[in-house]
Amino acid sequence: MPAFKDLFKGKQKYVTVKPTSIQTEQPDGLWSKCTRCGQLTYTRELAHNLLVCHKCGFHFKLSAAQRLAITLDEGSFVEFDSGLVSADPIEFPGYAAKLERTRQATGLEEAVVTGQGTIGGYPVMIGVMDFSFIGASMGSVVGEKVARLFERATRQRVPVVMFCASGGARMQEGVLSLMQMAKTSAACARLSEAGVLYVSVLTNPTTAGVLASFASLGDIIIAEPGALIGFTGQRVIEETIRQKLPPGFQSAEFVLEHGMIDMIVERRDMKKTLASLLALHERRHEAG
Amino acid sequence: MINLTLDFEKPLVELEKRIEELRDFSREKDIDLSEEIATLEKKAEMLRREIFDNLTPWQRVQIARHPRRPTTLDYISLIFDEFIELHGDRAFRDDGAIVGGIASLGGRPVTVVGTQKGRDTKENLARNFGMPHPEGYRKALRLMKQAEKFHRPVVSFVDVVGAYPGVEAEERGQGQIIARNIEEISRLATCIVVVITGEGGSGGALAIGVGDRLLMLENAYFSVISPEGCAAILWKDGSRAQEAADVLKLTAPDMKRLGIVDEVLPEPLGAAHKDREGMARIIKDALIRSIDELSGIPPRRLVERRYARLRRIGEFTVREAAQEEFAEAASAGGDVLRAAGPAGPKGEANR
C-alpha cells in the first residue's frame, strides 16, 4: 500500500483504489467502488443493498453462495452432485493446474452449484453458475450437473430456476464441452415435455455456448438489469463489421427490446418475482 | 487470385509440374522419355501417399477450408437422384448460407439441409461465406419439422466456420435460435443422419449437427472454437493456430475416439476436392446404409436413443461429497457478506 503522499507523485494521473477484485466483483475492503460509475460505498451498506450500487443501480456479480442465500428460504438448500469434478479429458495444456488453482482460490468444486430448496415456501430445483470459476464456462461437469438437475426436476415434477452466467463452453475440454450444449438442451426438451416450469435468469454475463443452450430455453426468461447477454463476443463482432458497436449493445435492455427475454427484474425484487411465478404455476389438480 | 496449393503440397505440385514439362518436351522433340516419366510418376505417387497419410491436424483444417472443397450443393447434385430446393424461414427472409429441400436418395424420399459456402467471391457474398443468420437456422428447423410430419429421414450436411458474428444476427437472437434448434432436433421424431463434410465450427455447426448417426469426412474438423480463436485466448497470438489445432483434438479420428462420431469416411487420395464423384459415392453409400438401418426403428425409440447418445457425452470424476462449509454459506439468509462463499469475500479472479 503506497503512502498517502506518494499517491500524488510521479506521472500517475489517477489514484488507484482496489476495493473490489476485478473479475468476481467481490467487495474486500471497508469501501467498495462501483465497477460502472465509480461510486465509493461503505461495503456494509453495499452488501445490505444486495451488492447493487446505490447511485447507478449497477448489479455486482454474486458468488453462487450469495445468490442462493438471497434467493432461497433460509436453511432450505440441499446440494446435489457436489462431488462431480472435472477431469482433463483431452490433456489440454495447463488445464489441470488451472482447475486446481481455481478450486483453491474460490473454494468451489465447479462453475455451477445445483440443488433444491424453497422460494417463498415453494419447492424448486435450483442451479447457480459462479463466474469466478473459469468464467463459469461449461465443461463436462457443468453439463452433467445441469442435465441431472433437469432430469431430477422432470422425475419429481418440481420447477427449475436456473441462474445463468457464463463466458461460454470450456475450451479446455474441446468438443466435449461443445456437446454439453446438446446434452443440456436435450434435457430441457424432456423437462418441457413433462410440463414442468423452467425459469431461466440471465445474470451478468450470459454468453456464447451457455446462452445458445439451456439459458435460452426457459419457459420464462428473466434478466438482471444491465447484464451482458449475447452469443458472439463484442470484440469478434467489431473485427467482423469493422465498426464500433452502439452503446448498450447486448445489454439486458437491448435483448428485451429485441424480444429475446420476458422481463428485467432488479435484484431486490427477484425473490418475490420468482415466488409469484411459482405460485401461479402451482399444480392444483395433479392427474395420476 | 485464390491460392489453390496448400503449403505442404508444394513439393508434390513441383514434381507434378516437372513431369508435365518432361511430357511436353518429349512430345515437342519426339524423344521417348517414358521411362524417366514413369519413374517420376512413381515418385510422385509415393510422395502423395507420404503427405496424405501423415497429415497434421492443422493440415487437415487447411484441407477442410480449401476453396475447391465440394460444397453442400455439389454433394446434393452428385448424391441424390432428384432435389427440389425449398426456401425461407416463414418469418424474416431466405438465408443463402443454409440450403434445403426434398430429395430422393436412391428412391428414398429424404429432407436435406446444409450450410452452403460459395464457390467464388461473388457466390460467397451471396452465401455470406456460409455463415448463417438466425433465419437460416430457423429455415433448417422448419424443413426438419416438415420431414418429421411426412416421416422422411433428414440428411444434414455441416460445413460452417461458425454462426455469423454480426450485429443483426445478435439482434435477431443467434444464441436463442441455436438453443431452440438443438432442443427441437434432439426430440425430432424421425431419423437424422449428419455428415460433417468440412468445417464443424462450434455452436453454428451444432445447430444442425445433432442426429442419430454422425458421419465425418476424414479431413473435416469439429471444434468448440476455431484454432485461431483458441490460440488468441491461450497464447494471445492468433498466428499460433497450428499448435492450437494440435491441442484441441478436432480431427475426425479424434471425434471417433471421443465417441462423438460413428464413422469416419475416407477421402480419395489428395482429399475430397481431387475426386468429387469418388467422394460423393462414398458418402452416398454411407447414407443409404445408415438410413436403411435407422428407418426400421420406431420414432419414439429413435428419440430415446438420441437422448442417451447425447446424455453420455462428457468426462469427469466423482469425489466424496464434502461441502458442509458451502451449504452453511449458502444458507446464510439475506446476508451477502456472510454468504460470500467458502473462499470468503477475497475469492480471487481466475481468468
Side-chain angles (χ1 to χ4, degrees), chain B residues 20-31:
Chain B
E20 213 42 53
E21 281 165 5
L22 270 184
R23 275 216 186 88
D24 289 347
F25 184 78
S26 120
R27 217 176 299 122
E28 263 170 43
K29 308 276 172 182
D30 204 15
I31 311 169

Side-chain angles (χ1 to χ4, degrees), chain B residues 286-328:
Chain B
L287 283 178
I288 290 175
R289 240 188 307 118
S290 303
I291 285 173
D292 286 351
E293 205 181 303
L294 294 168
S295 310
I297 304 171
R300 280 180 71 96
R301 253 200 75 211
L302 267 180
V303 173
E304 284 303 314
R305 277 175 38 145
R306 198 179 304 141
Y307 185 72
R309 176 194 173 94
L310 295 173
R311 191 61 191 79
R312 68 178 156 73
I313 300 174
E315 274 182 42
F316 50 85
T317 49
V318 184
R319 262 191 211 159
E320 198 79 13
Q323 283 202 296
E324 293 107 31
E325 215 189 340
F326 184 83
E328 196 183 300

Side-chain angles (χ1 to χ4, degrees), chain B residues 51-277:
Chain B
I51 290 172
F52 283 92
D53 285 349
N54 298 291
L55 291 171
T56 65
W58 178 241
Q59 288 168 342
R60 289 188 197 272
V61 170
Q62 289 173 290
I63 291 173
R65 293 173 175 173
H66 195 282
R68 288 281 176 272
R69 186 131 178 120
T71 67
T72 296
L73 284 176
D74 294 326
Y75 286 129
I76 286 176
S77 67
L78 290 166
I79 290 171
F80 302 100
D81 321 321
E82 198 187 350
F83 174 63
I84 300 170
E85 188 172 354
L86 302 174
H87 293 273
D89 68 335
R90 300 294 188 271
F92 185 71
R93 117 192 140 107
D94 186 45
D95 187 345
I98 294 266
V99 294
I102 313 167
S104 164
L105 175 68
R108 302 159 189 79
V110 295
T111 284
V112 185
V113 298
T115 47
Q116 179 63 34
K117 290 182 181 174
R119 282 160 285 199
D120 53 45
T121 311
K122 195 172 156 236
E123 250 187 58
N124 257 323
L125 288 175
R127 302 279 181 198
N128 197 32
F129 296 84
M131 291 181 283
H133 280 75
E135 53 271 25
Y137 291 118
R138 202 177 297 119
K139 167 176 161 182
L141 183 60
R142 177 178 81 83
L143 296 177
M144 289 192 194
K145 295 284 241 183
Q146 192 182 71
E148 179 184 52
K149 176 174 176 181
F150 295 107
H151 313 290
R152 283 194 291 266
V154 174
V155 176
S156 179
F157 290 101
V158 178
D159 179 16
V160 59
V161 64
Y164 184 63
V167 174
E168 292 178 341
E170 292 291 318
E171 286 174 345
R172 298 201 284 271
Q174 194 71 283
Q176 180 84 34
I177 194 70
I178 292 172
R180 186 64 58 198
N181 268 34
I182 298 170
E183 181 187 37
E184 293 293 339
I185 296 168
S186 78
R187 61 177 165 189
L188 197 79
T190 190
C191 73
I192 309 161
V193 182
V194 176
V195 194
I196 305 172
T197 61
E199 298 188 87
S202 192
L206 197 60
I208 57 161
V210 170
D212 301 299
R213 178 145 315 169
L214 263 71
L215 311 172
M216 185 164 175
L217 270 53
E218 190 184 344
N219 295 316
Y221 78 87
F222 191 30
S223 184
V224 63
I225 188 170
S226 71
E228 289 85 352
C230 173
I233 294 173
L234 205 55
W235 302 297
K236 314 269 174 263
D237 181 2
S239 66
R240 288 172 72 181
Q242 187 162 350
E243 292 158 74
D246 283 335
V247 304
L248 279 169
K249 304 282 189 295
L250 44 65
T251 67
D254 289 328
M255 289 310 121
K256 181 87 172 80
R257 208 167 29 247
L258 290 166
I260 307 296
V261 307
D262 302 281
E263 206 178 320
V264 177
L265 303 181
E267 294 189 21
L269 189 58
H273 60 282
K274 296 282 176 179
D275 178 8
R276 287 155 184 263
E277 289 76 15

Side-chain angles (χ1 to χ4, degrees), chain A residues 81-177:
Chain A
D81 303 315
S82 61
L84 296 195
V85 291
S86 291
D88 184 7
I90 62 166
E91 292 168 2
F92 197 91
Y95 184 41
K98 190 184 187 83
L99 281 170
E100 199 42 54
R101 268 202 321 274
T102 307
R103 286 185 196 120
Q104 293 292 333
T106 62
L108 292 164
E109 289 294 338
E110 252 301 330
V112 69
V113 176
T114 58
Q116 66 179 24
T118 59
I119 296 176
Y122 297 99
V124 287
M125 298 289 173
I126 189 165
V128 181
M129 304 184 79
D130 192 316
F131 198 76
S132 63
F133 199 99
I134 318 187
S137 52
M138 174 162 63
S140 298
V141 171
V142 170
E144 181 69 19
K145 285 172 89 168
V146 170
R148 286 189 187 186
L149 187 73
F150 285 133
E151 285 178 341
R152 215 186 274 249
T154 307
R155 279 196 306 273
Q156 300 183 16
R157 309 185 66 81
V158 173
V160 177
V161 173
M162 182 70 71
F163 283 91
C164 305
S166 183
R170 189 172 297 168
M171 179 181 81
Q172 293 88 342
E173 292 186 25
V175 77
L176 293 182
S177 60

